[in-house]
Amino acid sequence: MKQLLHLFKTGFAIMLLIITAACTGAGELPNDDDALVIDMIVKMNRGDYWSTIQMGAEVAAKEYNVSLNVLAPENENDVQGQIQLMEDSIARRPDAIILAASDYEALGQVTDRTSYYDIPVISIDSEVASTKVKTYVGTNNYEAGQKAAERLMELTGGQGDIGIVNFVQGARNADQREEGFMDYAARFPGVRIVEVLYCGSDEELAYRLTREMIKQHPGLTGLVSLSAESSIGAGRAVEEAGLGSRFKMIAFDNPPEMLELLQEETVQAMVVQNPFNNGYMAVAAAVKAARGERLEDKIPTDTKLIDLDNMLWPEHQKLLFPFVK
């Protein structure tokens, strides 16, 4: 397993360098007159999750002869920065825009403006409050939150104090995961949600918030973290606290740090998405939309609950180690 983790890290770094070299930079205009021009605006310009989405999108861009321009603010909670990127994109008049909205409501108005110029918009990862979006590609986030809650209830016996470390309040996927978790946990009268914290997709802030939560609630028996960044920070705090076998944690996504904590049994399970597939399908949908083809309202992608017992299943290995042959 340690060798697989090393290969994952090495493979991911190599692929990221390839994508960085191949991808059209922010503000650059593609040269191929025959290619469709698609802007992909995501939530931030770092993190394994977003890099993997970009990799999938780049593969589809090559297959469909697309000039792909990937844009993002530095931080996931920079909503105004993302609105400005949308405005800049509209001014360039691409053939389509793919948007992962950092805030469901705040990005709605600028998304509506795309219809004035017949620019189709594909929503990815998290939805946006606009009727102009052609389709949503990504996880059913409410169900993903329920999956996390179901496993945590099993592990804790439906009893005890539970904490939630979420990422950006107002982001549609963050809100839906939290809602799904809370609705499922509400079935268990012996469970008390002691705190819901928001880290703004900042790993260090997630670490500090979780450390303080553990200090303030010494009887804490479980924790769920609802994104890759919140999981990395929260996982580090839980590991340092040495809470022992009584404490259970469910994480989201599969950065290398989480795989190590899963192996060490600090984390009991991970809700894993398929960001590579999401990026690929978003570009494919954008191409169809640019050509005037009809799309379903949603193109859902599944999540897998992965633990030590099933992580070596072949279909799970493809999710956990996508760059290992």
Side-chain angles (χ1 to χ4, degrees), residues 74-94:
E74 289 189 9
N75 298 302
E76 191 165 335
N77 55 4
D78 184 4
V79 176
Q80 289 304 313
Q82 199 180 48
I83 290 172
Q84 186 61 55
L85 289 174
M86 278 291 288
E87 290 176 346
D88 294 344
S89 177
I90 291 169
R92 288 193 300 272
R93 308 289 194 272

Side-chain angles (χ1 to χ4, degrees), residues 219-236:
L220 200 67
T221 55
L223 179 76
V224 62
S225 50
L226 296 177
S227 71
E229 289 75 25
S230 64
S231 294
I232 291 170
R236 180 156 62 97

Side-chain angles (χ1 to χ4, degrees), residues 211-250:
R211 188 174 59 177
E212 186 62 25
M213 183 197 294
I214 292 169
K215 193 179 300 182
Q216 293 294 325
H217 303 281
L220 200 67
T221 55
L223 179 76
V224 62
S225 50
L226 296 177
S227 71
E229 289 75 25
S230 64
S231 294
I232 291 170
R236 180 156 62 97
V238 168
E239 183 179 35
E240 287 183 5
L243 298 175
S245 60
R246 72 170 179 84
F247 185 86
K248 308 299 180 183
M249 178 176 174
I250 307 297

Side-chain angles (χ1 to χ4, degrees), residues 12-24 50-59 62 68 70 276:
F12 190 90
I14 292 170
M15 287 296 292
L16 183 55
L17 287 173
I18 293 170
I19 292 301
T20 302
C23 181
T24 306
W50 296 111
S51 297
T52 307
I53 279 183
Q54 184 175 332
M55 290 176 189
E58 283 291 337
V59 170
K62 290 175 183 176
L68 185 68
V70 180
F276 186 94

Side-chain angles (χ1 to χ4, degrees), residues 155-194:
L155 292 169
T156 60
Q159 300 286 330
D161 291 350
I162 303 294
I164 299 174
V165 184
N166 207 338
F167 46 116
V168 177
Q169 191 170 18
R172 187 67 162 172
N173 54 346
D175 293 346
Q176 288 176 329
R177 290 174 195 177
E178 181 183 317
E179 184 183 357
F181 186 93
M182 297 282 275
D183 285 352
Y184 193 94
R187 304 176 190 179
F188 298 85
V191 167
R192 183 168 72 105
I193 306 297
V194 296

Side-chain angles (χ1 to χ4, degrees), residues 19-265:
I19 292 301
T20 302
C23 181
T24 306
E28 296 176 3
L29 294 177
N31 296 319
D32 187 348
D33 291 337
D34 295 328
L36 288 172
V37 179
I38 295 175
D39 284 357
M40 173 180 272
I41 300 172
V42 296
K43 295 181 180 180
M44 64 181 179
N45 60 8
R46 55 191 167 81
D48 293 348
Y49 177 81
W50 296 111
S51 297
T52 307
I53 279 183
Q54 184 175 332
M55 290 176 189
E58 283 291 337
V59 170
K62 290 175 183 176
E63 181 177 331
Y64 289 97
N65 189 29
V66 165
S67 289
L68 185 68
N69 192 24
V70 180
L71 306 144
E74 289 189 9
N75 298 302
E76 191 165 335
N77 55 4
D78 184 4
V79 176
Q80 289 304 313
Q82 199 180 48
I83 290 172
Q84 186 61 55
L85 289 174
M86 278 291 288
E87 290 176 346
D88 294 344
S89 177
I90 291 169
R92 288 193 300 272
R93 308 289 194 272
D95 294 297
I97 297 173
I98 299 168
L99 173 65
S102 293
D103 188 288
Y104 179 71
E105 296 290 346
L107 271 292
Q109 187 173 356
V110 70
T111 302
D112 285 344
R113 285 186 53 223
T114 59
S115 65
Y116 302 154
Y117 307 100
D118 294 323
I119 304 170
V121 176
I122 304 300
S123 182
I124 184 176
D125 179 70
S126 55
E127 296 169 275
V128 63
S130 173
T131 59
K132 308 305 179 184
V133 172
K134 298 299 182 184
T135 190
Y136 164 71
V137 178
T139 300
N140 183 323
N141 288 290
Y142 182 86
E143 286 186 0
Q146 293 223 315
K147 277 186 184 180
E150 182 180 14
R151 177 56 61 90
L152 194 55
M153 295 307 105
E154 290 174 0
L155 292 169
T156 60
Q159 300 286 330
D161 291 350
I162 303 294
I164 299 174
V165 184
N166 207 338
F167 46 116
V168 177
Q169 191 170 18
R172 187 67 162 172
N173 54 346
D175 293 346
Q176 288 176 329
R177 290 174 195 177
E178 181 183 317
E179 184 183 357
F181 186 93
M182 297 282 275
D183 285 352
Y184 193 94
R187 304 176 190 179
F188 298 85
V191 167
R192 183 168 72 105
I193 306 297
V194 296
E195 277 192 273
V196 181
L197 304 173
Y198 299 91
C199 69
S201 289
D202 183 320
E203 296 169 14
E204 189 60 31
L205 181 56
Y207 165 72
R208 295 197 304 269
L209 290 172
T210 305
R211 188 174 59 177
E212 186 62 25
M213 183 197 294
I214 292 169
K215 193 179 300 182
Q216 293 294 325
H217 303 281
L220 200 67
T221 55
L223 179 76
V224 62
S225 50
L226 296 177
S227 71
E229 289 75 25
S230 64
S231 294
I232 291 170
R236 180 156 62 97
V238 168
E239 183 179 35
E240 287 183 5
L243 298 175
S245 60
R246 72 170 179 84
F247 185 86
K248 308 299 180 183
M249 178 176 174
I250 307 297
F252 254 78
D253 297 320
N254 59 310
E257 294 89 341
M258 285 301 98
L259 293 172
E260 292 177 7
L261 292 181
L262 182 66
Q263 185 184 11
E264 295 164 5
E265 299 187 60

